Amino acid sequence: MSRRLSLVEAMGLGPLWQRREVEYVYIDSPAIETAPVLQAEVQAASAPAATIAPTAPPPSTTPPTVLPLDAVALNDTKNLQGLSLSELKAKVARCQDCRLSNTRNQTVFGSGNPQARWLFIGEAPGENEDLQGEAFVGAAGMLLNNILQAAGLDRERDVYITNILKCRPPINRNPQVDEVAACQVYLAAQIALLKPELIVTLGRFASQTLLQSKASIGQLRGQVHHYQGIPLIASLHPAYLLRNPQEKAAVWRDLLLAKKTLQTSNQS
Ligand code: URA
């Protein structure tokens, strides 16, 4: 057994996701031990054009808990205009605009290929990320690596990965509204610089924040939304998948939709 496989199994992350020769179809892959996926589901996911529906959040009677990302970006209070990605990263590293700056070891800006077509956005750094300064390097990160690999995506070459928050909330508690408000102008500027062709939000928090929605992740999944004109697919968080491995099939369907969306936008 390879060192990586042993490590993955030792961390309880196995079995490793493996990409099959026929892209997208994994229904009978012995390497993937997940809830059986119905053939019909796979066919439905890979056959005629995926539904590209405009975002239609359910009516909400309560005000959103977050500020509109684009409006904040327009009302740039942090003088981010004209910064390069590395200048933005340096500015984030000095940020003291919320209480998380008192408890972080370091900021976690994001990493990968700035020219990548795919942008993955998670919630916030955890303990490992805070120590290493890189997003998704802990157990959830290892699972994300497996998912990317299974989808034929190389983490360094094909994607860029970041979070809504650039600092770790203490004991990994949920981000608070004012922390999101303080950080979101950085994310808006980061996305504007990266210009991804597709965004995948990982989990309820990132999905709701980017989409300015209070809809559940179940409601947000399975359709193509847009953030600033960029197609956005809401998916599940790898940490959730660690606890609910039977949901891997659902994430796979999200990635199929994401790939189809990229293909469609290439053709138009
Ligand atoms: N969870 C996240 O949302 N982001 C990370 O970087 C790590 C864990």
Side-chain angles (χ1 to χ4, degrees):
M1 190 185 290
S2 73
R3 197 172 158 271
R4 192 163 68 93
L5 261 178
S6 328
L7 193 64
V8 166
E9 291 210 345
M11 295 186 75
L13 297 182
L16 196 63
W17 286 31
Q18 287 178 359
R19 183 160 64 113
R20 298 185 67 226
E21 287 311 307
V22 182
E23 251 190 331
Y24 307 168
V25 181
Y26 75 116
I27 186 164
D28 53 359
S29 167
I32 297 172
E33 200 179 272
T34 180
V37 178
L38 297 174
Q39 182 81 47
E41 271 183 315
V42 173
Q43 280 167 351
S46 53
T51 319
I52 300 193
T55 304
S60 167
T61 48
T62 44
T65 50
V66 291
L67 302 173
L69 268 176
D70 49 347
V72 174
L74 288 174
N75 181 21
D76 181 355
T77 51
K78 301 196 198 204
N79 286 324
L80 306 181
Q81 301 290 343
L83 294 188
S84 67
L85 198 62
S86 53
E87 287 166 342
L88 180 65
K89 181 177 179 177
K91 183 128 187 164
V92 167
R94 294 191 298 271
C95 180
Q96 301 202 313
D97 290 350
C98 83
R99 65 186 77 75
L100 298 183
S101 61
N102 299 323
T103 49
R104 72 178 180 224
N105 275 307
Q106 58 191 310
T107 53
V108 179
F109 184 68
S111 57
N113 179 359
Q115 263 83 50
R117 303 171 74 195
W118 296 70
L119 173 63
F120 284 78
I121 304 180
E123 181 173 319
E127 183 179 17
N128 291 296
E129 290 75 21
D130 176 65
L131 289 172
Q132 296 181 40
E134 191 169 338
F136 282 101
V137 290
M142 289 195 70
L143 181 55
L144 179 59
N145 290 349
N146 283 345
I147 294 169
L148 294 177
Q149 193 186 345
L153 297 171
D154 182 274
R155 180 169 169 150
E156 303 302 323
R157 184 194 60 206
D158 299 320
V159 306
Y160 194 94
I161 303 176
T162 189
N163 286 303
I164 297 285
L165 291 190
K166 310 304 189 203
C167 296
R168 180 194 181 202
I171 53 171
N172 296 350
R173 65 157 167 73
N174 284 340
Q176 294 178 4
V177 175
D178 59 331
E179 295 161 359
V180 177
C183 219
Q184 61 186 339
V185 65
Y186 293 129
L187 180 64
Q190 192 174 24
I191 296 174
L193 285 164
L194 292 170
K195 299 187 181 60
E197 289 176 42
L198 182 94
I199 296 173
V200 179
T201 46
L202 300 171
R204 176 181 67 91
F205 186 83
S207 306
Q208 289 182 339
T209 303
L210 265 284
L211 293 174
Q212 297 299 297
S213 170
K214 291 187 134 193
S216 71
I217 186 68
Q219 289 170 306
L220 294 174
R221 283 190 52 244
Q223 55 182 307
V224 182
H225 305 272
H226 287 88
Y227 167 78
Q228 298 279 298
I230 305 164
L232 184 154
I233 307 292
S235 190
L236 302 175
H237 195 284
Y240 173 80
L241 277 190
L242 286 174
R243 298 189 300 276
N244 302 275
Q246 73 280 5
E247 296 286 356
K248 284 178 184 174
V251 171
W252 189 255
R253 287 196 293 276
D254 296 338
L255 288 179
L256 288 177
L257 177 57
K259 286 201 165 198
K260 196 172 282 291
T261 304
L262 260 187
Q263 280 167 3
T264 310
S265 60
N266 275 349
Q267 285 157 11
S268 58

